[in-house]
């Protein structure tokens, strides 16, 4: 007999849906960090009697609705159920709608407790614990079991229509997904292998590292099997995370392609935009007294939510419905006079596929991860171009502050904030005075400085709450940096460095410096994120060696690994190692002419479009100047510093099917990956560097730490990150099975066996003879 459908919802999620009203208001900040919140709960419960119960698992049903959660604490003797909330600042400034939400939660827990233990009545208490003063403020109400049951049924009734709608959507979605067919007549070479690996990983509930070459259709080859798996394996949502806007667009295009073959599939797809991009009123604060889109936000949210869902529903004429991309969502939000960014946060709860940046799941305060934990979702996560994850995750868990910015800030802040900022300035001056060298890394964080920074953060928070109309971008920037420093300080360890870099030649009495908590191994932060998913699949054309990514990202021991066979063959790409030229820093000046001669000879032999990659803008400019001097008739295009999106597009538009010329670019920059120039749009590339990160005090500290942790300091710091950039850049040349091209790897080190092991297995690398270029072997590296 088939079991009746049941919809499970967390107590907090239920209350946020039914009991939130009024303004969007973010003024009651800073909220304590997760560590502080846990510690605060511990302090409160430690003050209770020995028979005090904590973390009580409770659940109850209302029709098909199953409500569950964990109550913070229950005092048996006093028959008092407590909901503990930690905070900073002045409790009187807490918005009324936030307090109402807290009461709604404890009332639901009160009913579930009475039902569980057969109580006739119970005292409910909100315990607000001030992290700073360690004091409790207790608010309590007495309720009968009958009254709480009526309240529970009222809230469930408000949610039930929505829950039944969601259950119907889920059932229809899964039925259609099981019947869904691949959008093409057959898989491309390698694409089936990738798709099967994805599905097997979901079936086994393990993570996956998939090295898959460009040109096989990785996006469709990943999304399609994960959609099939979501129906078969009971997965609630798929998060597709990309490093760049182009990656998100490819995912949207892939969903459209899948939907074209299944127009009746009720698949809700949402694109998330960054808050800075989505914000309509960047000059206003996020509360009703400042921003009109925050005023009455929760009152207008239900209608906006309904409109957004209607857009994603299958149409009567059988055409596939559109995704809720950022432009569509923005239009809906403005039509209902609500904030687009926070509407997107709401719609993430009700979408099947959510497409966004890495930070939405992996950042320290990631929205999608928080929602997953709150709602106990079963999610599959796809990470596109995952070779970027190490560098991106490091940035997510790092923070820096500049002393000169603080000096300027002290001159413009209100008088109430000058004293706490002066204390930070004083402690900062002392750090600079105590440090004799320009750069130094420290084993411990400076306690006095961190204490002053925490005091200043609290003062800024209080001032902002008292003056809701005050907006000063520099103060907000300092404030958010200070909060980040405090959060990272809680988990500071071997995975991070604390360093101070002083400006060269600055006077000791007025020197500028940058303080940095610098994450170098993201694994401690990312490992719990992987563990909270059903499956996380990371895929890229460059994920070698797998142990590097496993170590750095904290992949579980059960992680599967697949190296997808390439659809390309060696005959498509001529890979030449120009070992007679050294691109080491000491040899760069003398390398310019041989490089220009090599490039000119290749261009003369086969005219067309090429990209030339160098290790820095300075090296690139010198090489371009030398080449133009020797070959003035060859068109040359140069990447410039800080190109915006339009300028990058203009650069790429020069590469047409009929054009000829050489684009000079920086390895690891905008044109080294994520660029698709098939056929005659690009027939070759010159890579005049191993891409090794610069040897400097910071990287040498990282190398030493990597050696201590992993025993492979140089490779983890220099070799592997550098070669990933090289392979990505060379990968711009062959994009389809009909492409043909040439790649020159310019440096003697490219001939080493340990370096060639990091190159794609389908490459056939040949040593290039300088005699074929200029008839001599001068400038050969000693």
């Amino acid at each position: 007999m088939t079991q009746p459908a049941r919809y499970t919802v967390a107590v907090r999620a239920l209350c946020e849906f039914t009991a939130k009203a009024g303004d969007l208001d973010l003024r009651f900040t800073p909220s304590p960090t997760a560590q502080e919140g846990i510690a605060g709960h511990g302090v409160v419960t430690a003050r209770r009697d020995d028979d005090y119960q904590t973390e009580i698992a409770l659940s109850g049903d209302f029709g098909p609705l199953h409500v569950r959660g964990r109550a913070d604490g229950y005092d048996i003797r006093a028959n008092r159920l407590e909901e503990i909330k930690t905070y900073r600042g002045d409790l009187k400034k807490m918005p009324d709608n936030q307090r109402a939400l807290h009461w709604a939660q404890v009332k639901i827990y009160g009913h579930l407790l009475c039902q569980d233990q057969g109580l006739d009545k119970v005292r409910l208490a909100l315990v607000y614990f001030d992290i700073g003063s360690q004091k409790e403020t207790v608010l309590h109400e007495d309720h009968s079991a009958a009254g709480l049951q009526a309240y529970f049924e009222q809230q469930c009734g408000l949610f039930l229509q929505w829950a039944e709608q969601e259950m119907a959507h889920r059932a229809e979605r899964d039925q259609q997904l099981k019947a869904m067919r691949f959008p093409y007549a057959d898989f491309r070479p390698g694409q089936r292998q990738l798709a099967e690996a994805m599905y097997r990983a979901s079936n086994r509930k393990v993570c996956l590292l998939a090295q898959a070459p460009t040109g096989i259709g990785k996006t469709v080859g990943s999304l399609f099997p994960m959609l099939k798996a979501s129906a078969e394996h009971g997965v609630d949502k798929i998060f597709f995370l990309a490093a760049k806007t182009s990656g998100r667009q490819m995912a949207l295009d892939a969903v459209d392609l899948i939907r074209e073959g299944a127009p009746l599939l009720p698949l809700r797809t949402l694109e998330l935009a960054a808050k800075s991009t989505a914000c309509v009123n960047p000059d206003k604060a996020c509360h009703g007294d400042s921003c009109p889109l925050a005023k009455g936000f929760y009152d207008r949210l239900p209608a906006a939510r309904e409109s957004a869902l209607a857009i994603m529903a299958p149409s009567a004429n059988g055409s596939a419905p559109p995704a809720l991309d950022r432009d569509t969502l923005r239009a809906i939000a403005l039509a209902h006079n609500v904030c687009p960014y926070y509407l997107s946060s709401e719609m993430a709860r009700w979408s099947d596929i959510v497409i966004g940046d890495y930070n939405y799941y992996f950042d320290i305060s990631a929205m999608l991860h928080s929602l997953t934990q709150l709602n106990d979702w079963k999610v599959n996560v796809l990470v596109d171009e995952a070779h970027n994850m190490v560098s991106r995750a490091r940035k997510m868990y790092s923070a820096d502050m500049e002393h000169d910015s603080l000096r300027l800030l002290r001159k413009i802040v209100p008088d109430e904030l000058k004293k706490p900022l002066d204390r930070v300035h004083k402690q900062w001056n002392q750090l600079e005075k105590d440090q004799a060298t320009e750069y130094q890394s420290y084993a411990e964080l400076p306690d006095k400085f961190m204490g002053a920074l925490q005091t200043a953060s609290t003062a800024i928070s209080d001032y902002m709450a008292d003056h809701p109309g005050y907006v000063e971008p520099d103060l907000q920037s300092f404030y958010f940096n200070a909060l980040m420093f405090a959060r990272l300080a809680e988990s500071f360890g071997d995975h991070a460095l604390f360093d101070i870099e002083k400006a060269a030649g600055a006077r000791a009495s007025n020197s500028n410096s940058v303080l940095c908590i610098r994450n170098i191994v993201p694994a401690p932060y990312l490992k719990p994120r992987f563990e909270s998913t059903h499956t996380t699949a990371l895929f890229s054309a460059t994920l070698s060696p797998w142990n590097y990514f496993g170590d750095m990202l904290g992949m579980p021991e059960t992680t599967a690994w697949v190296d997808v066979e390439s659809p390309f063959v060696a005959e498509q790409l001529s890979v030449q190692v120009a070992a007679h030229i050294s691109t080491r820093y000491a040899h760069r000046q003398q390398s310019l002419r041989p490089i220009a001669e090599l490039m000119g000879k290749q261009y003369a032999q086969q005219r067309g479009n090429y990209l030339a990659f160098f290790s820095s803008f300075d090296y690139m400019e010198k090489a371009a100047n030398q080449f133009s001097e020797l070959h003035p008739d060859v068109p040359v295009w140069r990447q410039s510093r800080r190109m915006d999106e339009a300028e990058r597009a203009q650069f790429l538009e020069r590469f047409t099917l009929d054009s000829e010329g050489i684009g000079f670019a920086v390895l690891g920059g905008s044109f080294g990956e994520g660029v698709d120039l098939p056929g005659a749009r690009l027939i070759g590339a010159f890579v005049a560097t191993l891409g090794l990160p610069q040897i400097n005090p910071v990287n040498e500290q990282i190398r030493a730490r990597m050696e201590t942790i992993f025993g492979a300091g140089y490779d983890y710091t220099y070799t592997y990150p550098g070669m990933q950039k090289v392979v990505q850049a060379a990968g711009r040349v062959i994009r389809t099975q009909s492409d043909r091209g040439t790649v020159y790897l310019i440096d003697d080190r490219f001939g080493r066996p340990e370096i060639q092991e990091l190159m794609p297995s389908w490459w056939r690398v040949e040593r290039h003879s300088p005699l074929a270029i200029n008839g001599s072997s001068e400038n050969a590296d000693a």
Side-chain angles (χ1 to χ4, degrees):
M1 184 176 176
T2 304
Q3 293 292 322
R6 187 167 77 158
Y7 189 98
T8 300
V9 62
V11 170
R12 180 176 166 184
L14 170 68
C15 294
E16 286 184 344
F17 188 92
T18 62
K20 262 193 171 181
D23 297 353
L24 174 67
D25 195 335
L26 304 184
R27 281 176 291 185
F28 193 65
T29 55
S31 60
T33 65
Q35 295 275 16
E36 288 175 328
I38 293 170
H41 275 68
V43 171
V44 172
T45 56
R47 293 172 177 175
R48 305 298 188 254
D49 295 333
D50 292 340
D51 56 357
Y52 184 82
Q53 298 177 1
T54 62
E55 292 293 312
I56 311 155
L58 296 169
S59 63
D61 298 303
F62 182 80
L65 198 61
H66 181 68
V67 182
R68 68 184 183 189
R70 289 185 178 273
D72 288 332
Y74 178 54
D75 187 328
I76 298 176
R77 296 179 187 177
N79 189 26
R80 185 173 75 175
L81 182 69
E82 296 184 336
E83 179 74 6
I84 303 169
K85 302 292 184 184
T86 56
Y87 74 97
R88 287 186 180 278
D90 185 353
L91 188 60
K92 296 177 182 177
K93 297 169 185 174
M94 176 182 286
D96 292 339
N97 60 352
Q98 190 170 338
R99 178 73 52 75
L101 177 63
H102 295 163
W103 275 120
Q105 291 173 8
V106 75
K107 286 179 181 179
I108 297 296
Y109 282 126
H111 161 71
L112 297 177
L113 180 73
C114 288
Q115 183 185 59
D116 182 69
Q117 302 197 13
L119 304 177
D120 294 329
K121 60 182 179 180
V122 67
R123 170 164 286 190
L124 305 179
L126 291 178
V127 181
Y128 290 105
F129 180 75
D130 187 337
I131 291 294
S133 67
Q134 301 282 290
K135 293 181 179 179
E136 298 177 32
T137 299
V138 181
L139 309 177
H140 58 80
E141 295 178 351
D142 293 320
H143 286 269
S144 67
L148 290 174
Q149 180 177 350
Y151 182 81
F152 173 78
E153 292 176 352
Q154 178 191 38
Q155 300 306 303
C156 288
L158 292 172
F159 188 76
L160 187 57
Q161 181 180 0
W162 188 269
E164 290 174 337
Q165 175 183 315
E166 288 302 295
M167 285 190 293
H169 164 76
R170 174 69 174 265
E172 177 65 17
R173 183 200 73 179
D174 288 353
Q175 182 180 355
Q176 295 261 2
L177 285 175
K178 289 177 181 179
M180 180 180 63
R181 301 183 67 84
F182 192 63
Y184 295 110
D186 199 1
F187 289 88
R188 297 183 191 178
Q191 194 177 41
R192 180 183 292 277
Q193 185 185 3
L194 175 64
E196 289 176 348
M198 293 278 177
Y199 188 88
R200 283 197 301 268
S202 179
N203 190 46
R204 293 171 52 204
K205 304 177 186 178
V206 298
C207 292
L208 173 70
L209 283 169
Q211 182 166 269
T214 300
I216 68 168
K218 290 195 292 289
T219 308
V220 172
S222 301
L223 270 171
F224 178 78
M226 283 305 189
L227 284 169
K228 298 289 283 188
S230 67
E232 298 288 349
H233 307 151
V235 173
D236 297 305
K237 298 181 186 298
I238 295 172
F239 300 152
F240 188 100
L241 308 177
K244 298 179 180 180
T245 303
S246 59
R248 298 202 302 272
Q249 186 57 54
M250 289 176 67
L252 288 168
D253 293 343
V255 172
D256 286 344
L257 181 66
I258 292 170
R259 293 292 298 273
E260 287 174 7
L264 297 181
L265 173 62
L267 191 66
R268 300 171 180 167
T269 305
L270 169 71
E271 180 191 16
L272 296 175
K275 187 174 183 179
S276 58
T277 302
C279 183
V280 177
N281 300 311
D283 59 328
K284 294 179 171 58
C286 292
H287 55 77
D289 294 335
S290 177
C291 179
L293 300 183
K295 188 73 173 177
F297 173 85
Y298 291 107
D299 301 327
R300 296 188 296 276
L301 178 59
R305 182 170 54 215
E306 290 285 357
S307 294
L309 288 180
I311 287 287
M312 295 188 285
S315 60
N317 63 10
S319 61
L324 195 62
D325 61 24
R326 56 182 179 178
D327 293 334
T328 304
L329 185 134
R330 184 184 183 91
I332 293 171
L334 296 182
H336 289 272
N337 202 30
V338 297
C339 171
Y341 178 75
Y342 287 99
L343 176 60
S344 72
S345 300
E346 173 67 17
M347 295 316 301
R349 301 168 184 262
W350 316 111
S351 298
D352 304 307
I353 301 175
V354 182
I355 299 170
D357 189 88
Y358 294 166
N359 65 287
Y360 277 104
Y361 189 80
F362 292 108
D363 205 345
I364 197 167
S365 55
M367 179 253 286
L368 290 179
H369 179 257
S370 297
L371 288 175
T372 299
Q373 297 295 100
L374 169 64
N375 295 283
D376 196 24
W377 288 334
K378 183 187 288 188
V379 299
N380 278 354
V381 178
L382 291 169
V383 183
D384 184 30
E385 299 295 347
H387 61 277
N388 291 295
M389 270 294 291
V390 173
S391 60
R392 284 290 304 277
R394 281 175 166 175
K395 291 178 182 178
M396 291 177 197
Y397 294 95
S398 298
D400 59 57
M401 306 181 75
E402 186 179 8
H403 201 169
D404 274 356
S405 296
L406 174 62
R407 289 191 176 99
L408 294 173
L409 185 62
R410 290 167 58 229
K411 298 177 181 178
I412 62 173
V413 296
D415 291 340
E416 296 94 320
L417 298 178
K418 290 186 181 297
K419 189 172 182 180
L421 290 180
D422 283 346
R423 290 173 180 164
V424 177
H425 173 61
K426 179 181 178 182
Q427 292 299 325
W428 204 328
N429 278 339
Q430 188 62 48
L431 292 175
E432 292 173 343
K433 182 179 179 181
D434 292 342
Q435 181 171 306
T437 58
E438 290 180 1
Y439 173 86
Q440 188 168 331
S441 177
Y442 297 84
E444 304 290 341
L445 296 174
D447 290 338
K448 291 183 179 180
F449 173 82
M450 295 302 297
L453 195 62
Q454 179 64 70
T455 301
S457 298
T458 302
I460 295 170
S461 174
D462 291 344
Y463 185 85
M464 288 180 172
D466 289 335
H467 303 83
Y470 179 79
V471 178
E472 172 50 59
D474 290 340
L475 181 63
Q476 288 182 339
S477 178
F478 175 85
Y479 173 59
F480 291 136
N481 275 346
L483 294 181
M484 188 64 171
F485 256 74
R487 297 192 70 173
L488 293 176
E490 291 179 342
S491 57
F492 185 77
D494 289 344
H495 59 271
L497 301 173
F498 172 71
D499 53 40
I500 303 176
E501 186 171 7
K502 296 166 63 174
R507 292 182 293 118
S509 60
N510 192 33
S511 63
N512 184 34
S513 65
V514 176
L515 309 185
C516 186
I517 296 179
R518 190 186 310 274
N519 174 259
I520 57 174
V521 182
Y525 298 110
L526 301 188
K527 186 177 181 181
R529 304 298 170 95
F530 295 131
E531 292 173 344
S532 64
T533 68
H534 177 74
T535 294
T536 299
L538 297 88
F539 56 100
S540 168
T542 49
L543 283 182
S544 292
W546 66 268
N547 59 291
Y548 167 76
F549 289 95
D551 289 343
M552 295 297 289
L553 301 178
M555 303 298 296
E557 292 182 3
T558 57
T559 298
W561 160 256
V562 61
D563 191 357
V564 177
E565 294 179 11
S566 176
F568 310 133
V569 295
E571 288 73 21
Q572 289 182 253
L573 183 67
S574 173
V575 183
Q576 303 284 324
V577 173
H580 65 292
I581 304 173
S582 169
T583 62
R584 294 172 176 83
Y585 185 79
H587 304 152
R588 284 183 186 170
Q589 187 62 39
Q590 66 199 65
S591 74
L592 296 175
R593 187 176 183 88
I595 291 174
E597 291 174 344
L598 182 151
M599 292 171 60
K601 182 68 173 179
Q602 173 61 32
Y603 184 85
Q605 288 177 349
Q606 187 177 8
R607 298 172 67 89
N609 295 317
Y610 293 83
L611 275 169
F613 295 97
F614 297 84
S615 56
S616 67
F617 277 100
D618 179 65
Y619 193 19
M620 181 201 80
E621 286 290 346
K622 290 178 178 178
N625 291 339
Q626 178 72 82
F627 181 83
S628 294
E629 180 181 326
L630 293 180
H631 309 283
D633 297 332
V634 179
V636 166
W637 316 305
R638 308 185 192 200
Q639 178 184 356
S640 61
R641 299 175 189 267
R642 292 177 290 277
M643 275 181 159
D644 60 27
E645 194 168 335
E647 291 170 327
R648 291 194 295 271
Q650 187 177 20
F651 181 91
L652 292 175
E653 285 169 1
R654 298 175 184 269
F655 293 79
T656 70
L657 296 176
D658 302 316
S659 63
E660 295 177 349
I662 299 180
F664 283 74
V666 173
L667 191 72
S670 303
F671 308 113
E673 63 176 87
V675 172
D676 196 22
L677 299 171
R681 294 184 66 191
L682 186 70
I683 65 169
F686 306 92
V687 184
T689 172
L690 262 72
L692 305 181
Q694 183 183 20
I695 294 179
N696 57 36
V698 173
N699 284 334
E700 283 299 281
Q701 284 290 326
I702 294 174
R703 181 192 59 76
R705 187 66 57 85
M706 293 295 176
E707 188 66 35
T708 300
I709 299 174
F710 302 117
Y714 188 86
D715 285 342
Y716 274 46
T717 307
Y718 296 105
T719 307
Y720 298 155
M723 281 304 296
Q724 286 159 26
K725 295 176 185 177
V726 170
V727 175
Q728 280 288 327
R732 300 313 94 204
V733 178
I734 302 298
R735 309 298 292 176
T736 72
Q737 288 179 271
S738 61
D739 285 354
R740 297 290 186 272
T742 302
V743 168
Y744 282 92
L745 303 177
I746 306 173
D747 194 280
D748 62 291
R749 290 166 290 181
F750 281 120
R752 295 176 180 175
E754 67 272 20
I755 295 297
Q756 294 193 5
E757 286 179 1
L758 301 174
M759 298 177 187
S761 58
W762 65 274
W763 284 10
R764 185 167 62 225
V765 182
E766 299 176 359
R767 188 178 182 90
H768 178 78
S769 171
L771 297 176
I773 297 293
N774 55 19
S776 73
S777 58
E778 62 182 353
N779 293 310
D781 183 49

